[in-house]
Amino acid sequence: MLNLATIRKTAELTQNDLAQKLGIDQSVVSKTERLEDMLLSTLMDYLSAAGVVDAKMVVHVNGREIELDLRSLHRQARD
């Protein structure tokens, strides 16, 4: 199963590296990687710190594929 830790490892970062980028403790990164439910802002902060530049989510509704740009959703949530 792909998860946040997979993204971090692909970016060649340790939990400590990511924690430093986020200005938090390593234990918070560990807990975040185990969460099953999180705020979009938490996800986007994590992804940005890991170097993700094009975060998208694809959903299927009534046979249609809809792609959501998570960066724009994240900006809208902060406005």
Side-chain angles (χ1 to χ4, degrees), residues 40-55:
L40 178 59
S41 58
T42 302
L43 175 61
M44 287 308 301
D45 289 345
Y46 182 102
L47 294 176
S48 293
V52 173
V53 294
D54 190 22

Side-chain angles (χ1 to χ4, degrees), residues 3-4 7 19-20 22 24-25 37 39 54 56 63 73-74 76 78:
N3 55 29
L4 292 180
I7 293 168
Q20 280 186 323
L22 290 166
I24 59 175
D25 191 73
D37 185 22
L39 295 173
D54 190 22
K56 295 186 178 175
L73 291 175
H74 182 58
Q76 289 173 8
R78 289 190 180 223

Side-chain angles (χ1 to χ4, degrees), residues 60-78:
H60 293 89
V61 180
N62 293 329
R64 275 187 69 200
E65 182 175 285
I66 300 169
E67 185 176 278
L68 303 170
D69 179 348
L70 294 182
R71 282 203 178 280
S72 68
L73 291 175
H74 182 58
R75 282 191 296 269
Q76 289 173 8
R78 289 190 180 223

Side-chain angles (χ1 to χ4, degrees), residues 3-21:
N3 55 29
L4 292 180
T6 302
I7 293 168
R8 175 181 50 76
K9 290 173 186 176
T10 300
E12 299 180 353
L13 297 168
T14 65
Q15 287 184 346
N16 283 323
D17 295 334
L18 196 66
Q20 280 186 323
K21 289 176 176 263

